[in-house]
mmCIF file of all heavy atoms in Angstrom:
data_model
loop_
_atom_site.group_PDB
_atom_site.id
_atom_site.type_symbol
_atom_site.label_atom_id
_atom_site.label_comp_id
_atom_site.label_asym_id
_atom_site.label_seq_id
_atom_site.Cartn_x
_atom_site.Cartn_y
_atom_site.Cartn_z
ATOM 1 N N LYS A 202 -212.092 43.451 -37.581
ATOM 2 C CA LYS A 202 -212.251 44.385 -36.461
ATOM 3 C C LYS A 202 -212.509 45.811 -36.958
ATOM 4 O O LYS A 202 -213.367 46.517 -36.445
ATOM 5 C CB LYS A 202 -210.988 44.355 -35.584
ATOM 6 C CG LYS A 202 -211.040 45.355 -34.459
ATOM 7 C CD LYS A 202 -209.849 45.280 -33.551
ATOM 8 C CE LYS A 202 -209.949 46.360 -32.488
ATOM 9 N NZ LYS A 202 -208.986 46.185 -31.428
ATOM 10 N N LYS A 203 -211.762 46.213 -37.999
ATOM 11 C CA LYS A 203 -211.929 47.585 -38.491
ATOM 12 C C LYS A 203 -213.338 47.785 -39.047
ATOM 13 O O LYS A 203 -213.941 48.835 -38.876
ATOM 14 C CB LYS A 203 -210.891 47.891 -39.578
ATOM 15 C CG LYS A 203 -209.576 48.352 -39.013
ATOM 16 C CD LYS A 203 -208.739 49.001 -40.108
ATOM 17 C CE LYS A 203 -207.377 49.403 -39.564
ATOM 18 N NZ LYS A 203 -206.427 49.686 -40.639
ATOM 19 N N ILE A 204 -213.866 46.752 -39.725
ATOM 20 C CA ILE A 204 -215.224 46.880 -40.276
ATOM 21 C C ILE A 204 -216.228 46.989 -39.135
ATOM 22 O O ILE A 204 -217.138 47.825 -39.148
ATOM 23 C CB ILE A 204 -215.548 45.690 -41.198
ATOM 24 C CG1 ILE A 204 -214.661 45.774 -42.436
ATOM 25 C CG2 ILE A 204 -217.029 45.674 -41.567
ATOM 26 C CD1 ILE A 204 -215.092 44.951 -43.596
ATOM 27 N N LEU A 205 -216.047 46.114 -38.138
ATOM 28 C CA LEU A 205 -216.938 46.144 -36.976
ATOM 29 C C LEU A 205 -216.938 47.533 -36.337
ATOM 30 O O LEU A 205 -217.993 48.091 -36.023
ATOM 31 C CB LEU A 205 -216.466 45.093 -35.960
ATOM 32 C CG LEU A 205 -217.459 44.724 -34.881
ATOM 33 C CD1 LEU A 205 -218.497 43.757 -35.420
ATOM 34 C CD2 LEU A 205 -216.759 44.075 -33.691
ATOM 35 N N LEU A 206 -215.749 48.114 -36.184
ATOM 36 C CA LEU A 206 -215.654 49.420 -35.534
ATOM 37 C C LEU A 206 -216.260 50.530 -36.397
ATOM 38 O O LEU A 206 -216.871 51.457 -35.885
ATOM 39 C CB LEU A 206 -214.203 49.750 -35.176
ATOM 40 C CG LEU A 206 -213.628 48.887 -34.033
ATOM 41 C CD1 LEU A 206 -212.190 49.269 -33.724
ATOM 42 C CD2 LEU A 206 -214.477 49.001 -32.756
ATOM 43 N N LYS A 207 -216.124 50.388 -37.712
ATOM 44 C CA LYS A 207 -216.737 51.401 -38.587
ATOM 45 C C LYS A 207 -218.261 51.337 -38.490
ATOM 46 O O LYS A 207 -218.940 52.358 -38.475
ATOM 47 C CB LYS A 207 -216.290 51.193 -40.038
ATOM 48 C CG LYS A 207 -214.924 51.774 -40.291
ATOM 49 C CD LYS A 207 -214.513 51.640 -41.747
ATOM 50 C CE LYS A 207 -213.127 52.194 -41.953
ATOM 51 N NZ LYS A 207 -213.110 53.493 -42.616
ATOM 52 N N LEU A 208 -218.794 50.107 -38.431
ATOM 53 C CA LEU A 208 -220.245 49.960 -38.291
ATOM 54 C C LEU A 208 -220.693 50.498 -36.927
ATOM 55 O O LEU A 208 -221.738 51.131 -36.801
ATOM 56 C CB LEU A 208 -220.653 48.485 -38.450
ATOM 57 C CG LEU A 208 -220.475 47.893 -39.853
ATOM 58 C CD1 LEU A 208 -220.712 46.383 -39.845
ATOM 59 C CD2 LEU A 208 -221.434 48.547 -40.860
ATOM 60 N N PHE A 209 -219.880 50.256 -35.914
ATOM 61 C CA PHE A 209 -220.208 50.724 -34.564
ATOM 62 C C PHE A 209 -220.216 52.260 -34.510
ATOM 63 O O PHE A 209 -221.120 52.879 -33.937
ATOM 64 C CB PHE A 209 -219.189 50.141 -33.577
ATOM 65 C CG PHE A 209 -219.435 50.541 -32.153
ATOM 66 C CD1 PHE A 209 -220.604 50.185 -31.493
ATOM 67 C CD2 PHE A 209 -218.491 51.283 -31.462
ATOM 68 C CE1 PHE A 209 -220.825 50.570 -30.170
ATOM 69 C CE2 PHE A 209 -218.703 51.660 -30.141
ATOM 70 C CZ PHE A 209 -219.884 51.312 -29.495
ATOM 71 N N GLU A 210 -219.211 52.871 -35.166
ATOM 72 C CA GLU A 210 -219.163 54.353 -35.214
ATOM 73 C C GLU A 210 -220.406 54.906 -35.910
ATOM 74 O O GLU A 210 -220.978 55.905 -35.494
ATOM 75 C CB GLU A 210 -217.927 54.821 -35.999
ATOM 76 C CG GLU A 210 -216.660 54.863 -35.151
ATOM 77 C CD GLU A 210 -215.411 54.871 -36.025
ATOM 78 O OE1 GLU A 210 -215.464 55.320 -37.195
ATOM 79 O OE2 GLU A 210 -214.368 54.389 -35.533
ATOM 80 N N LEU A 211 -220.828 54.223 -36.991
ATOM 81 C CA LEU A 211 -222.036 54.654 -37.712
ATOM 82 C C LEU A 211 -223.246 54.599 -36.779
ATOM 83 O O LEU A 211 -224.073 55.513 -36.749
ATOM 84 C CB LEU A 211 -222.238 53.734 -38.934
ATOM 85 C CG LEU A 211 -223.449 54.012 -39.800
ATOM 86 C CD1 LEU A 211 -223.334 55.370 -40.502
ATOM 87 C CD2 LEU A 211 -223.629 52.907 -40.861
ATOM 88 N N PHE A 212 -223.324 53.512 -35.990
ATOM 89 C CA PHE A 212 -224.418 53.348 -35.026
ATOM 90 C C PHE A 212 -224.439 54.532 -34.039
ATOM 91 O O PHE A 212 -225.488 55.124 -33.777
ATOM 92 C CB PHE A 212 -224.231 52.003 -34.305
ATOM 93 C CG PHE A 212 -224.986 51.878 -33.020
ATOM 94 C CD1 PHE A 212 -226.374 51.706 -33.023
ATOM 95 C CD2 PHE A 212 -224.324 51.919 -31.788
ATOM 96 C CE1 PHE A 212 -227.072 51.589 -31.823
ATOM 97 C CE2 PHE A 212 -225.020 51.801 -30.598
ATOM 98 C CZ PHE A 212 -226.399 51.642 -30.615
ATOM 99 N N LEU A 213 -223.259 54.897 -33.511
ATOM 100 C CA LEU A 213 -223.186 56.007 -32.549
ATOM 101 C C LEU A 213 -223.556 57.328 -33.232
ATOM 102 O O LEU A 213 -224.290 58.141 -32.676
ATOM 103 C CB LEU A 213 -221.784 56.112 -31.943
ATOM 104 C CG LEU A 213 -221.311 54.936 -31.065
ATOM 105 C CD1 LEU A 213 -219.885 55.173 -30.590
ATOM 106 C CD2 LEU A 213 -222.237 54.726 -29.862
ATOM 107 N N LYS A 214 -223.068 57.493 -34.469
ATOM 108 C CA LYS A 214 -223.340 58.730 -35.219
ATOM 109 C C LYS A 214 -224.841 58.926 -35.442
ATOM 110 O O LYS A 214 -225.349 60.037 -35.472
ATOM 111 C CB LYS A 214 -222.613 58.648 -36.568
ATOM 112 C CG LYS A 214 -222.228 59.992 -37.133
ATOM 113 C CD LYS A 214 -221.275 59.864 -38.287
ATOM 114 C CE LYS A 214 -221.996 60.118 -39.599
ATOM 115 N NZ LYS A 214 -221.241 59.724 -40.761
ATOM 116 N N LYS A 215 -225.543 57.795 -35.569
ATOM 117 C CA LYS A 215 -226.994 57.878 -35.800
ATOM 118 C C LYS A 215 -227.779 57.997 -34.497
ATOM 119 O O LYS A 215 -228.972 57.745 -34.475
ATOM 120 C CB LYS A 215 -227.444 56.643 -36.567
ATOM 121 C CG LYS A 215 -226.944 56.613 -37.982
ATOM 122 C CD LYS A 215 -227.519 55.439 -38.722
ATOM 123 C CE LYS A 215 -227.295 55.637 -40.210
ATOM 124 N NZ LYS A 215 -228.113 54.762 -41.013
ATOM 125 N N GLY A 216 -227.072 58.266 -33.407
ATOM 126 C CA GLY A 216 -227.770 58.487 -32.137
ATOM 127 C C GLY A 216 -227.867 57.255 -31.248
ATOM 128 O O GLY A 216 -228.533 57.289 -30.207
ATOM 129 N N GLY A 217 -227.208 56.163 -31.645
ATOM 130 C CA GLY A 217 -227.233 54.952 -30.817
ATOM 131 C C GLY A 217 -226.449 55.151 -29.532
ATOM 132 O O GLY A 217 -225.525 55.958 -29.476
ATOM 133 N N LYS A 218 -226.856 54.412 -28.495
ATOM 134 C CA LYS A 218 -226.138 54.518 -27.213
ATOM 135 C C LYS A 218 -225.447 53.198 -26.934
ATOM 136 O O LYS A 218 -225.942 52.124 -27.320
ATOM 137 C CB LYS A 218 -227.126 54.809 -26.093
ATOM 138 C CG LYS A 218 -227.746 56.166 -26.194
ATOM 139 C CD LYS A 218 -228.469 56.476 -24.899
ATOM 140 C CE LYS A 218 -229.240 57.769 -25.039
ATOM 141 N NZ LYS A 218 -230.607 57.658 -24.600
ATOM 142 N N PHE A 219 -224.319 53.308 -26.209
ATOM 143 C CA PHE A 219 -223.566 52.091 -25.852
ATOM 144 C C PHE A 219 -223.237 52.124 -24.372
ATOM 145 O O PHE A 219 -222.862 53.161 -23.829
ATOM 146 C CB PHE A 219 -222.273 52.011 -26.670
ATOM 147 C CG PHE A 219 -221.403 50.850 -26.260
ATOM 148 C CD1 PHE A 219 -221.775 49.544 -26.559
ATOM 149 C CD2 PHE A 219 -220.220 51.059 -25.549
ATOM 150 C CE1 PHE A 219 -220.985 48.465 -26.166
ATOM 151 C CE2 PHE A 219 -219.428 49.982 -25.155
ATOM 152 C CZ PHE A 219 -219.816 48.687 -25.468
ATOM 153 N N SER A 220 -223.372 50.964 -23.730
ATOM 154 C CA SER A 220 -222.981 50.867 -22.323
ATOM 155 C C SER A 220 -222.048 49.671 -22.165
ATOM 156 O O SER A 220 -222.416 48.541 -22.521
ATOM 157 C CB SER A 220 -224.243 50.678 -21.479
ATOM 158 O OG SER A 220 -223.887 50.387 -20.161
ATOM 159 N N LYS A 221 -220.847 49.938 -21.668
ATOM 160 C CA LYS A 221 -219.887 48.833 -21.474
ATOM 161 C C LYS A 221 -220.158 48.200 -20.113
ATOM 162 O O LYS A 221 -219.661 48.651 -19.081
ATOM 163 C CB LYS A 221 -218.450 49.357 -21.564
ATOM 164 C CG LYS A 221 -217.419 48.255 -21.463
ATOM 165 C CD LYS A 221 -216.019 48.801 -21.660
ATOM 166 C CE LYS A 221 -214.954 47.782 -21.315
ATOM 167 N NZ LYS A 221 -214.968 47.287 -19.944
ATOM 168 N N THR A 222 -220.969 47.163 -20.163
ATOM 169 C CA THR A 222 -221.348 46.515 -18.912
ATOM 170 C C THR A 222 -221.833 45.091 -19.176
ATOM 171 O O THR A 222 -222.318 44.786 -20.269
ATOM 172 C CB THR A 222 -222.446 47.353 -18.205
ATOM 173 O OG1 THR A 222 -222.753 46.743 -16.974
ATOM 174 C CG2 THR A 222 -223.709 47.449 -19.007
ATOM 175 N N ASN A 223 -221.676 44.273 -18.177
ATOM 176 C CA ASN A 223 -222.068 42.866 -18.312
ATOM 177 C C ASN A 223 -223.532 42.722 -17.911
ATOM 178 O O ASN A 223 -223.932 43.167 -16.844
ATOM 179 C CB ASN A 223 -221.180 42.032 -17.377
ATOM 180 C CG ASN A 223 -221.400 40.551 -17.551
ATOM 181 O OD1 ASN A 223 -221.631 40.085 -18.663
ATOM 182 N ND2 ASN A 223 -221.341 39.808 -16.467
ATOM 183 N N ILE A 224 -224.333 42.113 -18.765
ATOM 184 C CA ILE A 224 -225.737 41.864 -18.401
ATOM 185 C C ILE A 224 -225.813 40.529 -17.672
ATOM 186 O O ILE A 224 -225.450 39.485 -18.222
ATOM 187 C CB ILE A 224 -226.641 41.871 -19.656
ATOM 188 C CG1 ILE A 224 -226.570 43.235 -20.366
ATOM 189 C CG2 ILE A 224 -228.075 41.514 -19.278
ATOM 190 C CD1 ILE A 224 -227.009 44.438 -19.547
ATOM 191 N N LYS A 225 -226.294 40.595 -16.440
ATOM 192 C CA LYS A 225 -226.310 39.388 -15.600
ATOM 193 C C LYS A 225 -227.623 38.626 -15.732
ATOM 194 O O LYS A 225 -227.667 37.416 -15.604
ATOM 195 C CB LYS A 225 -226.155 39.780 -14.114
ATOM 196 C CG LYS A 225 -224.895 40.508 -13.768
ATOM 197 C CD LYS A 225 -223.736 39.593 -13.623
ATOM 198 C CE LYS A 225 -223.654 38.939 -12.266
ATOM 199 N NZ LYS A 225 -222.417 38.172 -12.121
ATOM 200 N N ASN A 226 -228.701 39.376 -15.954
ATOM 201 C CA ASN A 226 -230.005 38.716 -15.924
ATOM 202 C C ASN A 226 -231.038 39.559 -16.667
ATOM 203 O O ASN A 226 -230.790 40.725 -16.970
ATOM 204 C CB ASN A 226 -230.438 38.535 -14.459
ATOM 205 C CG ASN A 226 -231.483 37.439 -14.331
ATOM 206 O OD1 ASN A 226 -231.834 36.783 -15.313
ATOM 207 N ND2 ASN A 226 -231.994 37.245 -13.124
ATOM 208 N N ILE A 227 -232.188 38.927 -16.935
ATOM 209 C CA ILE A 227 -233.300 39.661 -17.544
ATOM 210 C C ILE A 227 -234.513 39.463 -16.640
ATOM 211 O O ILE A 227 -234.823 38.315 -16.268
ATOM 212 C CB ILE A 227 -233.600 39.105 -18.960
ATOM 213 C CG1 ILE A 227 -232.382 39.337 -19.855
ATOM 214 C CG2 ILE A 227 -234.844 39.758 -19.552
ATOM 215 C CD1 ILE A 227 -232.369 38.468 -21.082
ATOM 216 N N SER A 228 -235.162 40.563 -16.276
ATOM 217 C CA SER A 228 -236.411 40.422 -15.521
ATOM 218 C C SER A 228 -237.501 41.165 -16.300
ATOM 219 O O SER A 228 -237.235 41.667 -17.408
ATOM 220 C CB SER A 228 -236.236 40.976 -14.104
ATOM 221 O OG SER A 228 -235.910 42.338 -14.196
ATOM 222 N N PHE A 229 -238.686 41.258 -15.727
ATOM 223 C CA PHE A 229 -239.789 41.882 -16.464
ATOM 224 C C PHE A 229 -240.564 42.839 -15.573
ATOM 225 O O PHE A 229 -240.779 42.562 -14.384
ATOM 226 C CB PHE A 229 -240.721 40.809 -17.046
ATOM 227 C CG PHE A 229 -240.038 40.037 -18.138
ATOM 228 C CD1 PHE A 229 -239.268 38.918 -17.828
ATOM 229 C CD2 PHE A 229 -240.097 40.462 -19.451
ATOM 230 C CE1 PHE A 229 -238.582 38.228 -18.822
ATOM 231 C CE2 PHE A 229 -239.414 39.785 -20.448
ATOM 232 C CZ PHE A 229 -238.654 38.663 -20.138
ATOM 233 N N ASN A 230 -240.936 43.969 -16.168
ATOM 234 C CA ASN A 230 -241.839 44.902 -15.506
ATOM 235 C C ASN A 230 -243.122 44.836 -16.332
ATOM 236 O O ASN A 230 -243.175 45.369 -17.420
ATOM 237 C CB ASN A 230 -241.217 46.301 -15.538
ATOM 238 C CG ASN A 230 -242.054 47.305 -14.807
ATOM 239 O OD1 ASN A 230 -243.253 47.109 -14.631
ATOM 240 N ND2 ASN A 230 -241.428 48.389 -14.381
ATOM 241 N N GLU A 231 -244.130 44.170 -15.803
ATOM 242 C CA GLU A 231 -245.275 43.742 -16.602
ATOM 243 C C GLU A 231 -244.698 42.957 -17.776
ATOM 244 O O GLU A 231 -243.961 42.034 -17.560
ATOM 245 C CB GLU A 231 -246.135 44.933 -16.991
ATOM 246 C CG GLU A 231 -246.638 45.599 -15.721
ATOM 247 C CD GLU A 231 -247.745 46.563 -15.852
ATOM 248 O OE1 GLU A 231 -248.078 46.999 -16.963
ATOM 249 O OE2 GLU A 231 -248.293 46.880 -14.786
ATOM 250 N N GLU A 232 -244.962 43.397 -19.021
ATOM 251 C CA GLU A 232 -244.411 42.570 -20.117
ATOM 252 C C GLU A 232 -243.103 43.127 -20.665
ATOM 253 O O GLU A 232 -242.508 42.551 -21.583
ATOM 254 C CB GLU A 232 -245.442 42.485 -21.236
ATOM 255 C CG GLU A 232 -246.644 41.658 -20.822
ATOM 256 C CD GLU A 232 -247.502 41.243 -21.978
ATOM 257 O OE1 GLU A 232 -247.646 42.032 -22.922
ATOM 258 O OE2 GLU A 232 -247.998 40.107 -21.940
ATOM 259 N N LYS A 233 -242.676 44.250 -20.086
ATOM 260 C CA LYS A 233 -241.463 44.881 -20.652
ATOM 261 C C LYS A 233 -240.192 44.301 -20.033
ATOM 262 O O LYS A 233 -240.107 44.179 -18.805
ATOM 263 C CB LYS A 233 -241.508 46.387 -20.417
ATOM 264 C CG LYS A 233 -242.578 47.078 -21.246
ATOM 265 C CD LYS A 233 -242.357 48.557 -21.258
ATOM 266 C CE LYS A 233 -243.391 49.195 -22.171
ATOM 267 N NZ LYS A 233 -243.183 50.633 -22.288
#
Side-chain angles (χ1 to χ4, degrees):
K202 176 177 177 168
K203 275 196 183 164
I204 293 197
L205 196 79
L206 290 180
K207 279 183 182 255
L208 292 172
F209 181 62
E210 277 161 26
L211 179 66
F212 162 73
L213 295 178
K214 208 168 105 193
K215 291 185 165 196
K218 292 192 187 131
F219 175 71
S220 171
K221 184 176 169 300
T222 183
N223 186 36
I224 300 300
K225 300 280 277 187
N226 201 3
I227 297 161
S228 61
F229 292 87
N230 183 337
E231 300 195 347
E232 291 195 324
K233 291 195 176 183

